Amino acid sequence: MSGRTRYEPGVFCAVGLAASDRAAATAFYTELFGWEAEDRGAYTSLRRDGAEVAVLYLQTDEARAEQVTPHWTSY
């Protein structure tokens, strides 16, 4: 499988999941997609065949207090 080495301006290049339960989200997506997970401290790197496909991070305290639902963001 080939991967991109660069992105033109304006092209989506990364996705991240703001999760209310990082461990549960990691377990769910690694099982669902067969991704590998690597804890990187502030976030979890989700990988397929060694290439990062997404990041997963804990929602802020403020977001959880406001009951913001977990969500994916494209960058």
Side-chain angles (χ1 to χ4, degrees), residues 15-68:
V15 294
L17 173 63
S20 58
D21 183 334
R22 202 167 131 188
T26 299
F28 177 78
Y29 285 104
T30 55
E31 175 69 23
L32 180 66
F33 293 120
W35 292 344
E36 301 101 27
E38 180 183 355
D39 185 351
R40 308 280 297 178
Y43 67 94
T44 299
S45 174
L46 299 171
R47 299 176 176 273
R48 179 180 169 151
D49 298 328
E52 189 170 82
V53 294
V55 297
L56 190 156
Y57 52 93
L58 186 62
Q59 288 177 301
T60 64
D61 292 338
E62 295 83 4
R64 288 193 308 277
E66 292 293 324
Q67 299 181 336
V68 174

Side-chain angles (χ1 to χ4, degrees), residues 7 10-18 55 57 71-75:
Y7 295 87
V11 172
F12 290 117
C13 60
V15 294
L17 173 63
V55 297
Y57 52 93
H71 57 279
W72 286 93
T73 302
S74 299
Y75 301 94

